[in-house]
C-alpha cells in the first residue's frame, strides 16, 4: 500500500493564523520531510477561499518538485469542471518535467462550489461539465494532436498540446465521494479511483468499490489497472492518547464550523470516539493502531492500493505535523510492509 499526505495548504492551523508567506514555506518543508521520510505521494487540493492557499496547486507542487527527489506529486483534487483541460494537462506536464516524471493528477467535480461562480460556470451543469472535460483531458493525455468537439469549450481541430509529459501516460485518478455513477464511470474508463471518506465507516463503501471493479472488468480492464485509493482525515503521534489529545480540539472546531455551513450537527466527543473506533473512518492514533486500521480498511474494501492522510486541517502545529510525517515514514510504513 502506498502512503501519502494530502494538504489544502491551510493558513489557519496551530494556535494562531499564519501569514501566507510563512504558511507556504512551512507547507514546502512538510513536503520535503515526507520525501525524506519515505512517503510515496503528496497531494495538494484546490480551493478558492481565504483560509486556504491552494488555488493553484500545480504551482505549489512545482516548487516542491524542485526541492524533492523521490516522492510523487499530485493534485487532490483538481476541480476539472471549472478548469480548462488543455491548461490542466499543460500545467501537470510541466510539473512532470520539473519533477523528472513524478507528476499525477486526481480530478473531480469538487465538493466545494466556490469555483463555479468565480469562473463563470453554472451548478446546473455540475456533472455535464465534468463528463465533457474529463473526456477531453484523457484525449489530450493520449494524443499529441487533438481533434475534439464539445458543448462547454471551443473545439480543437488537429491541435497540438505542449509540453508533453515525460511519463508515457500522465497518471490521472478519478476522485469520488459517494455517488454510484462516479464509481461506475471510473471503472468504465479504467481510471484509478481515489475515494474521499470523511465520515461514518469505511466498510460502507464496499458495494461502491465492487461496482467500480465490476464496471471496469466489464469494460475489459484488468484488476491490476483498477487501483483503489482512500483519502481520510488522520494523524499519527507516538501514542494513541497523545494523538487524540493533539487532534480532537482542532477537529471539533473545524468540522463544527463546516457543519454550520453545510447543515451538519456539531461535533461531539461521543461522535468523535465512534469515528476513531476500529471501524470508524478517522485514522488517528499511535503507529500500531494506525497501521492496524489501514490494514482493516484495505480488507474491508477488498484491497487498497494507496492511502492519503488529510492532516493539516485539525489545528495541529507545523512541528506536530512534521513529527507525524516522520512517524508515518519510520514506524507506520514499516509495519504495513511487514504485514504484506
Amino acid at each position: 500500500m502506498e502512503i501519502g499526505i494530502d494538504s489544502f495548504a491551510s493558513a489557519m492551523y496551530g494556535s494562531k493564523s499564519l501569514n501566507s508567506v510563512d504558511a507556504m514555506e512551512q507547507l514546502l518543508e512538510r513536503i520535503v520531510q515526507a520525501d525524506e521520510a519515505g512517503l510515496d505521494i503528496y497531494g495538494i487540493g484546490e480551493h478558492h477561499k481565504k483560509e486556504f492557499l491552494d488555488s493553484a496547486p500545480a504551482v505549489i507542487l512545482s516548487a516542491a518538485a524542485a526541492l524533492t527527489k523521490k516522492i510523487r506529486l499530485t493534485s487532490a483534487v483538481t476541480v476539472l469542471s471549472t478548469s480548462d483541460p488543455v491548461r490542466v494537462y499543460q500545467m501537470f506536464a510541466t510539473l512532470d518535467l520539473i519533477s523528472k516524471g513524478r507528476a499525477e493528477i486526481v480530478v473531480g467535480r469538487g465538493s466545494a462550489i466556490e469555483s463555479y461562480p468565480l469562473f463563470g460556470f453554472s451548478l446546473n451543469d455540475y456533472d455535464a461539465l465534468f463528463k465533457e472535460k474529463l473526456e477531453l483531458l484523457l484525449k489530450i493525455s493520449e494524443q499529441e494532436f487533438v481533434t475534439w468537439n464539445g458543448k462547454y469549450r471551443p473545439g480543437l481541430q488537429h491541435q497540438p498540446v505542449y509540453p508533453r509529459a515525460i511519463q508515457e501516460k500522465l497518471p490521472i485518478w478519478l476522485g469520488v465521494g459517494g455517488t454510484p455513477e462516479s464509481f461506475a464511470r471510473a471503472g468504465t474508463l479504467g481510471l484509478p479511483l481515489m475515494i474521499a471518506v470523511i465520515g461514518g465507516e469505511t466498510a460502507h463503501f464496499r458495494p461502491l468499490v465492487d461496482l467500480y471493479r465490476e464496471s471496469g472488468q466489464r469494460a475489459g480492464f484488468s484488476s491490476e489497472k483498477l487501483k483503489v485509493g482512500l483519502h481520510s482525515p488522520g494523524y499519527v503521534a507516538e501514542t494513541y492518547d497523545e494523538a487524540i489529545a493533539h487532534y480532537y480540539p482542532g477537529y471539533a472546531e473545524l468540522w463544527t464550523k463546516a457543519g454550520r455551513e453545510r447543515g451538519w450537527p456539531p461535533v461531539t466527543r461521543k461522535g468523535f470516539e465512534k469515528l476513531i473506533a476500529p471501524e470508524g473512518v478517522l485514522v488517528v492514533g499511535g503507529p500500531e493502531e494506525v497501521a492496524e486500521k489501514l490494514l482493516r480498511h484495505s480488507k474491508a474494501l477488498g484491497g487498497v492500493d494507496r492511502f492519503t492522510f488529510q492532516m493539516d486541517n485539525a489545528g495541529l502545529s507545523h512541528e506536530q505535523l512534521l513529527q507525524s510525517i516522520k512517524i508515518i515514514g519510520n514506524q507506520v510504513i514499516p509495519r504495513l510492509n511487514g504485514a504484506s
Side-chain angles (χ1 to χ4, degrees):
M1 186 190 306
E2 295 179 328
I3 299 296
I5 307 287
D6 286 336
S7 173
F8 296 162
S10 172
M12 305 294 287
Y13 60 85
S15 59
K16 61 182 180 179
S17 300
L18 294 174
N19 67 59
S20 297
V21 172
D22 290 343
M24 189 65 74
E25 181 180 20
Q26 291 183 4
L27 171 61
L28 292 172
E29 287 179 16
R30 294 197 294 277
I31 301 176
V32 170
Q33 178 80 287
D35 184 47
E36 294 175 348
L39 275 67
D40 299 290
I41 191 84
Y42 211 106
I44 301 294
E46 180 188 338
H47 297 82
H48 302 271
K49 296 181 178 181
K50 183 177 181 180
E51 61 266 35
F52 301 119
L53 302 176
D54 60 347
S55 64
V59 178
I60 300 173
L61 293 168
S62 293
L67 300 172
T68 56
K69 296 178 180 179
K70 296 181 179 179
I71 196 165
R72 297 189 68 78
L73 301 165
T74 185
S75 58
V77 303
T78 294
V79 184
L80 188 60
S81 302
T82 57
S83 302
D84 185 338
V86 173
R87 291 299 286 156
V88 169
Y89 181 84
Q90 289 174 325
M91 288 186 290
F92 281 87
T94 302
L95 171 63
D96 208 43
L97 298 177
I98 297 169
S99 67
K100 298 181 174 64
R102 292 184 281 133
E104 299 189 7
I105 312 174
V106 180
V107 296
R109 295 178 297 181
S111 59
I113 60 174
E114 68 273 3
S115 65
Y116 287 81
L118 182 63
F119 297 114
F121 294 99
S122 171
L123 281 169
N124 294 330
D125 301 320
Y126 184 75
D127 190 64
L129 279 165
F130 181 74
K131 182 178 179 181
E132 179 178 292
K133 293 188 176 188
L134 178 60
E135 175 190 279
L136 177 54
L137 179 63
L138 294 175
K139 179 164 283 195
I140 294 169
S141 180
E142 294 167 356
Q143 302 174 9
E144 181 177 344
F145 290 82
V146 180
T147 296
W148 175 90
N149 285 287
K151 178 179 178 182
Y152 299 101
R153 187 199 186 283
L156 299 170
Q157 298 299 321
H158 199 60
Q159 184 71 41
V161 178
Y162 300 121
R164 305 304 297 176
I166 292 178
Q167 298 175 82
E168 183 177 348
K169 198 168 183 180
L170 191 64
I172 299 173
W173 294 62
L174 189 59
V176 299
T179 64
E181 294 80 9
S182 295
F183 283 79
R185 174 188 289 148
T188 300
L189 293 172
L191 296 178
L193 183 75
M194 178 57 71
I195 313 165
V197 183
I198 61 174
E201 296 184 3
T202 300
H204 291 164
F205 280 75
R206 179 60 184 266
L208 294 171
V209 173
D210 288 345
L211 174 62
Y212 162 68
R213 292 185 171 122
E214 291 164 4
S215 299
Q217 289 165 4
R218 283 197 301 269
F221 295 103
S222 66
S223 57
E224 291 77 17
K225 181 85 171 176
L226 301 171
K227 294 182 179 181
V228 174
L230 181 63
H231 158 108
S232 293
Y235 174 68
V236 192
E238 289 290 354
T239 68
Y240 178 85
D241 290 339
E242 188 178 74
I244 304 309
H246 291 175
Y247 192 81
Y248 176 69
Y251 176 85
E253 179 181 354
L254 175 78
W255 289 99
T256 296
K257 178 183 176 182
R260 287 195 294 268
E261 297 174 355
R262 302 192 183 191
W264 303 334
V267 173
T268 64
R269 184 64 185 233
K270 183 177 180 180
F272 176 76
E273 289 175 354
K274 288 181 66 176
L275 292 173
I276 61 173
E279 305 303 327
V281 67
L282 294 185
V283 185
V284 178
E288 186 172 351
E289 292 90 5
V290 165
E292 289 176 354
K293 193 161 197 176
L294 291 178
L295 292 171
R296 192 179 301 115
H297 282 346
S298 181
K299 182 178 180 181
L301 296 179
V304 168
D305 300 283
R306 175 179 291 181
F307 178 81
T308 55
F309 291 85
Q310 171 58 41
M311 285 199 304
D312 66 356
N313 62 355
L316 300 164
S317 70
H318 176 54
E319 291 72 24
Q320 288 171 328
L321 292 168
L322 287 173
Q323 180 64 16
S324 188
I325 290 168
K326 282 185 181 179
I327 294 170
I328 291 169
N330 295 336
Q331 299 187 52
V332 175
I333 291 176
R335 282 176 165 84
L336 294 172
N337 290 340
S340 61

